[in-house]
Amino acid sequence: MRNYLLLSFIALIFILSGCSDEENSETGPYPATEIVFEEPVAVGYIVEVMEEEQMIFVKSGVTKEEAMKLDKQASSPGMHSFFSNSTTFDGELKKGYKVAVWKFEEEEEGNVGAISEKIVVLEK
């Protein structure tokens, strides 16, 4: 009987310790809020999505209607191209979506073929 009580007590301690989550006790059931201080490299509309190459072309300073008429060949100021860093787009990004894009700092000057660190869809 004594072994059964001791074993039950130990099992109860393990069960109770498993129920309390240190990370979750501060933020509740939601993840902690991430505050981003860096400005995105580009904020604009997607002009073209190349699924095979995992590359998007973003044009800044235009309206959605203008972006829908452009293609990747329209090289002009405000046109940026970004590669995905092993994340596939899988149809998630489409022409005309407004996005904000951050890139990895290791890239050279300019935004031609930069590797995107984060892509946030602002408007569909």
Side-chain angles (χ1 to χ4, degrees), residues 7-118:
L7 186 59
S8 297
F9 181 71
I10 292 172
L12 181 64
I13 290 174
F14 280 120
I15 291 170
L16 292 176
S17 67
C19 291
S20 67
D21 186 3
E22 294 284 331
E23 294 176 356
N24 234 0
S25 63
E26 292 179 19
T27 62
Y30 306 105
T33 300
E34 178 185 2
I35 300 173
V36 178
F37 289 100
E38 303 90 30
E39 293 280 330
V41 172
V43 176
Y45 290 95
I46 295 177
V47 171
E48 189 164 335
V49 178
M50 299 175 66
E51 291 277 346
E52 302 82 33
E53 291 83 9
Q54 294 302 302
M55 185 174 189
I56 61 171
F57 290 84
V58 177
K59 175 73 172 159
S60 299
V62 295
T63 65
K64 184 174 186 171
E65 291 75 25
E66 292 170 330
M68 294 298 284
K69 294 176 187 174
L70 294 173
D71 64 4
K72 67 180 181 183
Q73 303 302 327
S75 59
S76 61
M79 182 69 79
H80 309 275
S81 60
F82 297 99
F83 285 100
S84 167
N85 189 24
S86 75
T87 300
T88 57
F89 298 147
D90 292 332
E92 301 271 332
L93 300 175
K94 303 221 183 287
K95 183 173 184 166
Y97 282 12
K98 185 173 186 178
V99 293
V101 184
W102 286 261
K103 72 171 185 161
F104 284 110
E105 293 301 318
E106 296 88 51
E107 292 297 316
E108 63 277 351
E109 293 250 344
N111 297 321
V112 178
I115 297 175
S116 59
E117 178 179 344
K118 185 189 307 186

